[in-house]
Amino acid sequence: MIGYKAFDYDLVNRYGMKFDLNVEYSLSGELKFGNNGNGFHFCTNLEDTLRYVDGANAIIVMVEALGNLKQYDDEYNGYYDMFVTNKIKIIKVLTKEDILKYMFKLPEFRMIRLISSYFQFSEEDLQMLEMLYQNNDSIIKAIRYYQRNELDAYKIL
């Protein structure tokens, strides 16, 4: 199964484990979610990975789950298709261009989630997004509020 994982820096997870590209990592024991869990967490929706890291500084990778899987949905908070596996490999570190290409394929609600939680886009990227989505008020408001820090973007006139 292919999915996504996010790191704060240098491919080190929040438990201090360093990862490298194209290396298989495995753990033994029962798969469990959470801070006291066991296994390698990943998501099938790229934007869901940003729940676990600071989106402004995130390094997002594509992973391949090679072992047993356990699925978890946090429907209450709007996170779906989160997994934990006992064997994983990082197959690619995503560039900003990769993330933008991914973003353009998303339905509106997922695109807004990515805009609201991901790094600060460059001015050039913002202008391109605003031009492409000029007729989509929801996306334009998300860009204005979350990326341009225009706090009145959602103000009702």
Side-chain angles (χ1 to χ4, degrees):
M1 172 183 275
I2 301 297
Y4 303 94
K5 188 167 180 62
F7 297 91
D8 283 323
Y9 67 96
D10 202 26
L11 300 183
V12 175
N13 71 9
R14 62 186 189 176
Y15 305 106
M17 184 175 179
K18 170 82 168 104
F19 289 78
D20 291 304
L21 277 170
N22 298 311
V23 175
E24 290 182 14
Y25 296 91
S26 60
L27 294 170
S28 59
E30 180 185 350
L31 293 175
K32 295 180 187 176
F33 278 93
N35 291 332
N36 297 318
N38 184 49
F40 303 105
H41 296 79
F42 69 97
C43 301
T44 55
N45 296 328
L46 183 150
E47 66 276 12
D48 288 343
T49 66
L50 298 168
R51 177 182 188 181
Y52 303 103
V53 298
D54 172 13
N57 299 307
I59 297 171
I60 300 175
V61 301
M62 184 179 290
V63 298
E64 183 177 10
L66 302 165
N68 298 327
L69 296 171
K70 189 171 187 179
Q71 184 174 1
Y72 175 73
D73 292 331
D74 185 358
E75 193 172 321
Y76 179 79
N77 290 307
Y79 295 96
Y80 306 98
D81 300 329
M82 297 182 299
F83 292 86
V84 64
T85 183
N86 61 336
K87 192 171 187 180
I88 199 165
K89 177 171 68 170
I90 296 174
I91 55 178
K92 181 178 183 178
V93 175
L94 300 181
T95 65
K96 185 172 64 167
E97 289 74 24
D98 293 331
I99 294 166
L100 285 170
K101 285 178 191 175
Y102 174 90
M103 182 177 168
F104 294 139
K105 298 174 187 174
L106 295 177
E108 179 182 291
F109 79 97
R110 287 183 53 204
M111 182 179 287
I112 290 170
R113 287 179 63 203
L114 187 57
I115 290 168
S116 70
S117 58
Y118 195 50
F119 62 77
Q120 183 65 42
F121 289 99
S122 70
E123 182 59 32
E124 181 181 328
D125 294 335
L126 291 175
Q127 289 175 3
M128 175 195 58
L129 290 169
E130 289 168 331
M131 185 182 73
L132 287 172
Y133 296 100
Q134 63 186 327
N135 295 322
N136 187 315
D137 194 46
S138 297
I139 291 175
I140 294 299
K141 283 180 178 180
I143 291 168
R144 287 183 54 218
Y145 185 82
Y146 294 106
Q147 293 290 319
R148 295 199 177 278
N149 202 30
E150 295 178 17
L151 302 181
D152 66 342
Y154 288 103
K155 184 176 181 180
I156 298 174
L157 300 174

